[in-house]
Amino acid sequence: MCGIVGYYGPQNPKDIIVNGLKCLEYRGYDSAGVAIFNKGEFKRVRAEGKLSVLQGKLESEEFDGHIGIGHTRWATHGAPVERNAHPHTVAGVSIVHNGIIENYMQLREDLGEGTKFESETDSELVAHYIAQELKSEPSLLSAVLKVLPKLHGAYSILVVSKDHPDEMVAFKNGPPLIVGVAAGAIIIASDIQAIMPHTKKAVYLDDLEVVQVKGESFKIFNSKGVPVDKAVTTVDWTTDQAQKDGYPHFMLKEIYEQPRAVAKAIAPHINTSTHEVALKDVGLPDAYWATVERVFIVACGTSFYAGSVGKYLIEELARVPVEIDVASEFRYRNPVVPKNSLAIIISQSGETADTLAALRQLKQMGVTCVSICNVKNSTIDRETNGHLYMNSGVEIGVASTKAFTSTLAILNLVALQMAKAKKVLTSENEHLYAKALLAAPAQMETVLACDKFFADAANTLKEYRGFLYMGRGVSYPIALEGALKMKELAYMHAEGYAAGEMKHGPLALIDKRMAVVMLAPSDSLYEKTLSNLEEAKARGGEIISVGTLGNERLKSLSKHYLTLPQANWTINPILEAIPLQLLAYHVASALGNDVDQPRNLAKSVTVE
Ligand code: G6P
């Protein structure tokens, strides 16, 4: 999953493309490059490493043209070095590619032994094929249309050619590609964020569509070259363009934004006077929720752990059975999905390749799919039958934080909506749960106070050999999420476990060098969790506990005791997530890691 951007217009393409790439760097940061028209050809500048390295190289570069393309890479085929950086150029044809060409071995073979490759990427061959076709085709468009049927896999590609300097062609199958229509200019990018500074008018390309940009106009065709009429959408997002606002990292800023994000997520769906819950503008008839007999939740990464909390919430409140799957498993396990099932598809970006594929499979089976996305108009948002939004604002940190807690809040509402529809929720309880949700943002503010503890303790905490996170019930998925955060940010071994399972293996790991993070809020499982904590302590484990304020016994058993305000069990996961995010953040910072862009990862995973 890489980020691509192309510009054709009166302004200096260098600045527009680099600023576009800045918005796309979350998609990969192994290398970056541009090809911009200059003195009769596309001048290519590429650099290994983050975009800032390319920016340094570009400082002294001038370009006299008004067309160019750029790329920020997350390496799939070929090491993250400059020779594998995009754009790839063959005989004056330059391309940037996001995705994977699955049949690239075959295509490489078909090109014949005489073909010289500069890189080990799957992408370069696309430039070879287009260059070959251009020998006989009159336009870049017609050359691309010849090559398109040969490509199997997931791709979004931008192409320019020195022999057609007034033309830029883009096409896609899988990863997103959006055409921004500005005054006298066209900007094409993988994400609307790169387009928004220039225009709010955009066209979302569908799979196997090809766009030809000529001057300031553009035309869209299907893969057979037949013109397609597409609506120009006006994007209703504001560019709350990500700034760090004085925080050292986006991640820390986003952790602090969580109370507001949760408040914005729940606002449309709770009547603050009557405390009634009604999911608004989902796009499904109100009567629908009563018909749901089974729920499937499908997601990846942090969104999967949010979904795992959803299973507890929906089963407990609405008494509807829930299955939860990581999308990469779901799509290949030939699942049995009974009639009247609802699928809940969770994705911050709305572009995760496995999640999207699972959604398409579910739709083919005729299952009603509701998405919970942060990015409006993302592919997943556009393809589902019903839509719920995290409303978190742009999330830049690769490790998801505010989108996670907002999703937990939305899942609370889904459970309540379904419980109401199924008539298993008294209005008294509805009001109680709604009030608990409305109180959550203020409670989250108080939990943020543990930031100072972790900032001070990080230098000691980073010396642990590993972290074992334990929880029961709704706290179990939070333990899994806490461990994921530690892995992705601190690059340390961390495992999440159901506390009751500890005696079936993990106890053997415990010694003085193993930190045990115990989630033990005051809920119906508190006593049982406490017994598990005693077992860990008896084996010499160093206990960091997260519990409800005033639990003296928990405090006495713990080396460090972080407190949460007294809250309903449905809200505890939202509160517990915060200390675990801060723990991972500070340990990673103390280790000198890049917390916003952890090694080897990317925020939007558009390859499977
Ligand atoms: C990547 C990101 C994670 C995210 C996951 C799923 O792995 O690094 O932070 O949770 O993708 O992304 P999605 O956009 O589908 O929620």
Side-chain angles (χ1 to χ4, degrees):
M1 49 284 169
C2 308
I4 64 175
V5 60
Y7 175 75
Y8 193 161
Q11 294 183 51
N12 178 351
K14 180 172 93 174
D15 296 340
I16 296 198
I17 291 169
V18 168
N19 288 334
L21 291 179
K22 270 190 207 156
C23 301
L24 301 174
E25 208 184 4
Y26 72 86
R27 304 175 70 87
Y29 31 82
D30 288 331
S31 66
V34 299
I36 299 172
F37 202 68
N38 184 56
K39 301 199 189 328
E41 60 180 8
F42 280 89
K43 182 154 118 190
R44 184 169 67 156
V45 183
R46 303 180 296 171
E48 181 179 328
K50 298 203 168 166
L51 182 61
S52 52
V53 186
L54 176 72
Q55 279 179 285
K57 271 188 159 181
L58 283 172
E59 260 168 33
S60 54
E61 297 284 351
E62 293 297 331
F63 303 88
D64 63 12
H66 291 283
I67 178 169
I69 55 177
H71 187 270
T72 177
R73 178 168 190 244
W74 186 80
T76 56
H77 296 64
V81 293
E82 185 171 329
R83 75 170 178 285
N84 290 326
H86 299 218
H88 293 289
T89 301
V90 175
V93 172
S94 293
I95 68 113
V96 286
H97 167 217
N98 167 30
I100 293 179
I101 307 296
E102 282 168 3
N103 59 335
Y104 87 105
M105 295 292 273
Q106 184 60 49
L107 290 175
R108 243 177 129 126
E109 237 177 84
D110 294 351
L111 278 171
E113 291 207 341
T115 311
K116 279 212 166 65
F117 286 94
E118 266 191 349
S119 72
E120 293 97 58
T121 65
D122 54 333
S123 315
E124 184 186 343
L125 63 87
V126 179
H128 281 278
Y129 273 93
I130 295 173
Q132 206 173 60
E133 293 297 342
L134 263 183
K135 288 180 193 157
S136 52
E137 288 297 326
S139 69
L140 205 48
L141 172 70
S142 56
V144 164
L145 289 170
K146 281 271 168 71
V147 175
L148 194 55
K150 298 190 206 299
L151 306 177
H152 296 168
Y155 50 80
S156 59
I157 296 176
L158 273 160
V159 199
V160 288
S161 157
K162 78 174 169 56
D163 297 326
H164 300 267
D166 62 338
E167 193 180 358
M168 175 165 66
V169 174
F171 54 105
K172 71 152 239 152
N173 184 38
L177 205 53
I178 304 154
V179 182
V181 188
I186 300 290
I187 176 159
I188 302 182
S190 309
D191 185 328
I192 192 74
Q193 287 299 324
I195 293 172
M196 298 264 290
H198 310 282
T199 177
K200 291 199 164 188
K201 295 203 178 317
V203 180
Y204 289 82
L205 289 188
D206 284 313
D207 284 349
L208 296 175
E209 286 182 344
V210 183
V211 59
Q212 179 193 39
V213 179
K214 275 204 148 197
E216 58 190 66
S217 64
F218 71 95
K219 282 194 186 130
I220 297 174
F221 303 87
N222 68 15
S223 59
K224 305 239 167 356
V226 178
V228 181
D229 246 352
K230 301 270 297 187
V232 178
T233 317
T234 302
V235 180
D236 61 357
W237 275 47
T238 50
T239 22
D240 50 345
Q241 267 297 349
Q243 304 291 336
K244 286 188 193 149
D245 295 343
Y247 288 93
H249 298 101
F250 282 112
M251 183 185 172
L252 190 60
K253 179 185 166 229
E254 287 159 5
I255 289 173
Y256 272 84
E257 281 173 349
Q258 291 180 103
R260 191 162 58 100
V262 164
K264 282 179 77 179
I266 60 178
H269 312 294
I270 302 180
N271 182 323
T272 48
S273 321
T274 62
H275 300 116
E276 277 172 323
V277 172
L279 288 175
K280 285 274 153 53
D281 298 326
V282 183
L284 294 171
D286 287 349
Y288 169 73
W289 299 98
T291 66
V292 177
E293 283 168 19
R294 186 176 282 269
V295 174
F296 287 78
I297 301 179
V298 185
C300 295
T302 289
S303 293
F304 170 73
Y305 293 133
S308 309
V309 176
K311 174 179 166 71
Y312 286 86
L313 294 170
I314 295 170
E315 289 195 338
E316 178 69 36
L317 295 175
R319 309 304 300 146
V320 175
V322 180
E323 280 189 40
I324 163 104
D325 269 278
V326 280
S328 54
E329 285 301 313
F330 182 86
R331 61 184 290 196
Y332 293 117
R333 77 169 170 84
N334 201 7
V336 179
V337 184
K339 267 214 266 170
N340 294 337
S341 293
L342 159 70
I344 301 178
I345 313 293
I346 307 174
S347 177
Q348 186 285 131
S349 62
E351 301 294 350
T352 302
D354 283 316
T355 312
L356 177 59
L359 159 65
R360 288 179 176 163
Q361 212 174 66
L362 281 156
K363 281 189 74 187
Q364 251 180 5
M365 295 177 203
V367 179
T368 302
C369 298
V370 170
S371 54
I372 304 178
C373 288
N374 196 31
V375 179
K376 286 189 182 164
N377 280 324
S378 55
T379 312
I380 290 174
D381 179 30
R382 281 180 286 128
E383 293 196 13
T384 42
N385 312 89
H387 318 271
L388 287 161
Y389 297 105
M390 300 172 191
N391 280 348
S392 305
V394 180
E395 191 180 67
I396 300 287
V398 164
S400 185
T401 51
K402 58 180 180 172
F404 178 70
T405 42
S406 292
T407 305
L408 295 182
I410 293 290
L411 286 165
N412 260 272
L413 294 167
V414 171
L416 292 172
Q417 173 84 28
M418 223 179 275
K420 267 180 84 172
K422 295 270 174 195
K423 303 201 186 316
V424 292
L425 184 72
T426 61
S427 58
E428 194 185 358
N429 277 341
E430 176 188 359
H431 301 165
L432 187 140
Y433 287 118
K435 281 184 194 163
L437 266 172
L438 290 169
Q443 294 184 316
M444 294 168 82
E445 293 284 357
T446 68
V447 182
L448 284 166
C450 64
D451 186 17
K452 175 145 179 25
F453 165 75
F454 286 120
D456 293 345
N459 272 321
T460 315
L461 296 172
K462 76 174 202 276
E463 298 305 328
Y464 283 112
R465 182 166 54 90
F467 287 79
L468 217 45
Y469 292 74
M470 310 269 183
R472 280 173 177 264
V474 274
S475 299
Y476 168 41
I478 302 299
L480 297 171
E481 167 61 9
L484 175 65
K485 282 282 157 290
M486 188 60 81
K487 281 182 268 211
E488 56 187 348
L489 295 166
Y491 319 146
M492 282 174 83
H493 179 245
E495 256 188 279
Y497 247 91
E501 274 288 292
M502 203 174 59
K503 48 195 166 302
H504 300 295
L507 260 187
L509 289 169
I510 291 177
D511 61 20
K512 282 245 165 266
R513 298 194 52 223
M514 179 65 78
V516 179
V517 182
M518 194 60 90
L519 301 175
S522 297
D523 60 15
S524 59
L525 296 166
Y526 172 68
E527 289 298 334
K528 298 209 177 293
T529 312
L530 219 59
S531 310
N532 300 134
L533 191 147
E534 301 257 23
E535 289 155 15
K537 191 171 166 64
R539 269 86 187 170
E542 302 263 306
I543 313 288
I544 303 169
S545 66
V546 177
T548 307
L549 186 68
N551 278 347
E552 290 307 317
R553 189 151 152 244
L554 182 62
K555 187 176 179 184
S556 69
L557 288 169
S558 312
K559 179 161 183 171
H560 305 293
Y561 169 53
L562 283 308
T563 58
L564 309 175
Q566 182 73 48
N568 198 296
W569 70 272
T570 51
I571 305 303
N572 281 334
I574 299 177
L575 303 179
E576 288 166 334
I578 295 172
L580 303 197
Q581 294 164 348
L582 286 164
L583 166 62
Y585 169 81
H586 283 295
V587 170
S589 301
L591 288 166
N593 296 351
D594 185 340
V595 284
D596 280 338
Q597 295 181 332
R599 70 182 183 202
N600 306 338
L601 302 180
K603 185 145 191 76
S604 178
V605 183
T606 53
V607 293
E608 66 167 297

